[in-house]
Amino acid sequence: MSTPERLIESTRELLWERGYVGTSPKAIQQHAGAGQGSMYHHFSGKPDLALAAIRRTAEEMRATAEASLSGDGSAYERVAGYLLRERDVLRGCPVGRLTMDPDVIASDTLRAPVTETLEWLRERLAAIVQEGLDQGEFSPALDAREIASTIVATVQGGYVLARSTGSPEAFDAGVRGLLALLAPR
Amino acid sequence: MSTPERLIESTRELLWERGYVGTSPKAIQQHAGAGQGSMYHHFSGKPDLALAAIRRTAEEMRATAEASLSGDGSAYERVAGYLLRERDVLRGCPVGRLTMDPDVIASDTLRAPVTETLEWLRERLAAIVQEGLDQGEFSPALDAREIASTIVATVQGGYVLARSTGSPEAFDAGVRGLLALLAPR
DNA sequence: GTCTATAAGACGATAGAC
DNA sequence: GTCTATCGTCTTATAGAC
């Protein structure tokens, strides 16, 4: 792997684990096995490198989500597939966690990939829920965009609960509760 | 207000805004209008002061939640009251956000109030949902503890969505979606 | 491209005067 | 109790040799 590649991948891992504020250029360099000069040759500084890392993580998250959402099956089944897919629950969401990073939220550039990814996910889920509504799969009293927001929020909040206890139990419970509420009858 | 009080209150605000990793003793001292020596006279260091601040924030959150949950009305109405109460949505949850702070999660002492508060909330909501189940208010197919997890997760995740867009819209949408799913028929 | 050297300031804390 | 001084380390770079 090339040096810029190693720097980006190291930044992705450290951002996931410690956030932007908690990740120093020095830590990135050590994790990547690169020197100071090497990092500043390829990237203008910490924000530039973080942007490359965040963009890649966001892209990957979209691809992973799309994989569970684009399969066959009813709307409920695809939503269930998304909610029940394997996750590293205790690590949390590498994109969602950045919303708690003050320096990321303060920078329009760094925040953009975060906003876009979560908005894309919400719209993608809303389209599927709307399909379900059109097929009479869900109660007509429901609003597709609202339910999509509930789904994404349950996942993001499930990570918070899981990390607070150090166990995936609360995440799983929240997801099962949501699926029970959504279940077609 | 006494100096220790001002230090604790300043720490609470900075922890809410910037997290533990992003909050320096110096910033706390300046915000509180206290000197270095003053802070280290009253507290043994940053973790000690943060613990006092986190405990108080956790206590306050419990009191606020209890206020919306202990009123009159059906289980659904009390859950709705909790979900729809006024919130500073874009600031997020001062307790939940700490779960994304690596140094808080790494310390059993600092994490304890976070764990306890979110677990208390989940149990408190589970008891109310169980009441609703006993009254035939909700579908008997539902599990009280699961639904309680879904409710807390929706709120915590709603903050993530709101902060990602810089608008409370997604939080409100997620809450409305959940209430529509819960609505007794 | 990568290395080492250097730097101004922040971080988290301690020491000792007042 | 509060103040200033000091400390060793980390942070986020820049400069310039190789």
Side-chain angles (χ1 to χ4, degrees), chain B residues 162-175:
Chain B
R163 285 176 63 89
S164 89
T165 56
S167 151
E169 180 267 327
F171 181 98
D172 295 336
V175 161

Side-chain angles (χ1 to χ4, degrees), chain B residues 75-94:
Chain B
Y76 176 81
E77 283 165 353
R78 277 177 288 162
V79 168
Y82 168 72
L83 286 171
L84 296 172
R85 81 148 203 265
E86 282 217 24
R87 292 163 194 276
D88 208 339
V89 171
L90 291 181
R91 294 191 81 186
C93 174

